[in-house]
Amino acid sequence: MNNIKNIAILGSTGSIGRQTLDIISEYPSLFYPYLITANSSIDLLISQAIKYKPKHVIIANESYYQQLKDALHEYPIKVEAGAKAIAEAVKDSQLDTIVTAMVGYSGLEPTINAIKEGKTIALANKETLVVAGELITNMLKRSKSKIYPVDSEHSAIFQSLVGESHDSISKIILTASGGPFRTWNINDMAKITKADALNHPNWKMGAKITIDSATMMNKGFEVIEAKWLFDVDAKDIEVVVHPQSIVHSMVQFVDGSIKAQWGLPDMHLPIRYALGFPTRLASNCAKLKVSDYSNLTFESPDFNKFPMLSMAFDVIAKGGNIPCALNAANEIAVAAFLDERISYIQIPQIVENAVNHTDYISNPQYDDLVITNKLTRQYTSSLLK
Ligand code: MG
């Protein structure tokens, strides 16, 4: 009998995508990388296709189509290009699990299609729930599709909730490393360079999420993600700065007990859990030794120093299409910061301006989100000129 799960990795050349391929190679009798996709990292995508022999490979950037096709012409691999091809490919009846590891808004349409087809989703693209949490949650109620979180904090919460009922949850405690500027004086933040912001103390990640971690926008997005994944009010989600990144998050229950999940700061761990769930997969990976950590600390975040964290709570309270605008404005501002067109402290200023400029839509449908995303990107780009 064939029990191998066919996996799609959307964003196979990014940090999560590469680590997902590691996990798949760790358990060849359990998983097969049936579909891999990338945005524009053509050379790595080609070498992954030759190494892992998927059935289907797609490059989102259509200008690389011929290069991909030529490189793989002697292999029995279907080759396509374009975002539409990715959104269609997730519907393939052979696929069991979709790992959504692409960056930003681009994860939305394939995730929606995967839910419509009842696929299991290993969610690494938190922006999907930021943009469309309400829509996705309503769709999930009508689908046999399940979402298993890959984000380390949400994996920790998910693991802490196994065997618990929703009524028992009192509070979700989301841990944050605090990023590279946790100990900086607020008056020095204007001097932050791109290199400073890309130097995360604990986690090796892609550039976009590393900047989001430095501004703590990432933690704000994770509050929104947790609200939708675990059906809790934002007022019942507390962010706690835990610089060692060993306790990946916690749940406090109605009797006062707290359950936490600990581990080394290594994304292989939550990816392995999401792919294996409900089975815990044995691994020879490096394991945490508790006695190595005699100084685990927890403190409240500084909302003045990290205005994007408070912005996220404001945006959740507004709801509707406003979280979608927050994400779009942030994507444009972070890209501009990475291009060294704006300074670090301009990121929250530009994002706040764009969010306040958005026309409110309650209970947004997919088309409303597409328009909000487009208009907010245009407006935010106009602020950069
Ligand atoms: Mg995280």
Side-chain angles (χ1 to χ4, degrees), residues 71 149 163 211 243 260 264 299 374-375:
I211 302 304
L264 292 171
E299 65 199 44
K374 188 172 155 213
L375 293 179

Side-chain angles (χ1 to χ4, degrees), residues 126 151-153 222:
K126 72 191 74 182
D151 212 347
S152 60
E153 295 78 0
E222 289 182 355

